[in-house]
Amino acid sequence: MNVLVWLAAILLILMLLIGGKKGARSFISLFLNFGVLLLTVLFMTDPNANPIILTLIACAVISCINLFYINEVNSKTITAFISTIITIGILLFFINIVAKNALIQGFGEEEVEELGVFSLYIGVDFAKIGASMIIMGTIGAITDVAISITSPMREIFNHNPLISRKDLFTSGLSIGKDILGTTTNTLFFAFCGGYLALLIWFKDLSYSVGEIVNSKLFSAEMISILYAGIGVALVIPIASWINAYFLVKTREKNKISNN
């Protein structure tokens, strides 16, 4: 417990020194997001609740916290929020299909021994739970990339107010290209770091490459990473187009009102 307190204190001090008030809000948002996730999990235990609907609501709330609470309500956060919701909506259709057909719901063989003393008949749809896990795994990366696109685009527009919508959109895509590779690699290495012990266990159990790839635990995490990567790739053109449209349209409205 002392280690957690000290690490949290160090994180808070660094965020205050570097980010100021925004750093303090970022630190508080960690606990707010944790509270949202905890409430979502509690509601998911109700057999009558739809896990996917609950997850979408949680993702919307998390996006609001990460965008509006930390960066306040402005054009870049509004367009980033809209882009995030649209991207999640597009992914949701495919996630629901893959989660059912890939049979990644429930627990893997490696977890059966630890769960043997518990009853698994708890009345919830594990296929929807699996889809919810994938959706929740994509929201952080998608929101991060969305604001990383809209924020510099706004700066470009402020420094060059006469820029055309096409050039502004192209600038957003150019920014996104630099983000795409690093973000997808970050997702992959996050998986490797979090599941390094599992990979070592697979080696000790003499799993073949085919058995590792077809393992439910491994497949579920890789599918989640791939969907997060797809979401990151999709949100770049979506955020670029919405932000370019919004900024140019606002400029045209201001011209009309001034005339």
Side-chain angles (χ1 to χ4, degrees):
M1 185 65 181
N2 290 333
V3 175
L4 296 177
V5 173
W6 276 107
L7 289 176
I10 293 171
L11 176 61
L12 175 60
I13 292 171
L14 290 174
M15 294 179 84
L16 288 173
L17 291 175
I18 297 172
K21 292 182 179 180
K22 187 173 289 188
R25 289 197 294 267
S26 299
F27 183 79
I28 296 172
S29 69
L30 296 174
F31 298 94
L32 294 176
N33 288 331
F34 177 76
V36 172
L37 291 174
L38 184 61
L39 286 174
T40 304
V41 172
L42 291 176
F43 282 117
M44 279 185 182
T45 57
D46 183 0
N48 298 319
N50 189 324
I52 294 179
I53 299 299
L54 291 174
T55 303
L56 290 177
I57 295 173
C59 287
V61 175
I62 291 171
S63 298
C64 288
I65 294 172
N66 292 339
L67 294 173
F68 300 133
Y69 176 69
I70 297 175
N71 299 290
E72 301 179 348
V73 179
N74 48 57
S75 62
K76 63 183 180 182
T77 54
I78 292 173
T79 51
F81 178 77
I82 295 172
S83 304
T84 299
I85 297 303
I86 292 175
T87 305
I88 289 294
I90 294 172
L91 286 178
L92 176 61
F93 175 75
F94 299 101
I95 288 174
N96 201 22
I97 294 175
V98 171
K100 290 182 179 178
N101 295 329
L103 301 177
I104 59 173
Q105 66 271 15
F107 302 97
E109 295 179 359
E110 296 79 10
E111 301 169 305
V112 172
E113 184 176 349
E114 289 80 3
L115 298 170
V117 297
F118 300 103
S119 174
L120 300 181
Y121 297 99
I122 57 177
V124 297
D125 190 339
F126 278 99
K128 292 182 178 179
I129 295 291
S132 298
M133 291 173 58
I134 298 175
I135 297 170
M136 196 65 73
T138 63
I139 185 64
I142 292 174
T143 304
D144 179 58
V145 171
I147 192 64
S148 297
I149 294 292
T150 59
S151 182
M153 283 182 67
R154 186 184 180 188
E155 291 298 319
I156 292 172
F157 182 79
N158 290 338
H159 286 85
N160 187 9
L162 299 179
I163 188 172
S164 66
R165 182 178 297 167
K166 181 180 179 181
D167 290 340
L168 192 57
F169 173 72
T170 304
S171 298
L173 290 181
S174 179
I175 295 167
K177 290 177 183 178
D178 295 332
I179 299 172
L180 181 61
T182 55
T183 303
T184 50
N185 276 284
T186 299
L187 295 170
F188 174 75
F189 286 115
F191 161 76
C192 291
Y195 282 82
L196 183 61
L198 176 65
L199 297 176
I200 295 173
W201 191 19
F202 282 155
K203 180 182 179 300
D204 291 339
L205 294 175
S206 300
Y207 274 32
S208 65
V209 175
E211 288 174 326
I212 293 175
V213 172
N214 287 286
S215 170
K216 184 178 289 188
L217 287 174
F218 183 86
S219 298
E221 288 302 318
M222 287 305 300
I223 288 174
S224 180
I225 291 171
L226 292 174
Y227 263 114
I230 293 171
V232 167
L234 282 176
V235 78
I236 290 172
I238 292 174
S240 299
W241 187 87
I242 292 176
N243 201 33
Y245 177 83
F246 182 85
L247 291 173
V248 173
K249 189 172 183 179
T250 302
R251 181 184 65 191
E252 293 173 351
K253 284 183 178 180
N254 291 335
K255 283 183 179 180
I256 294 173
S257 61
N258 292 332
N259 294 333

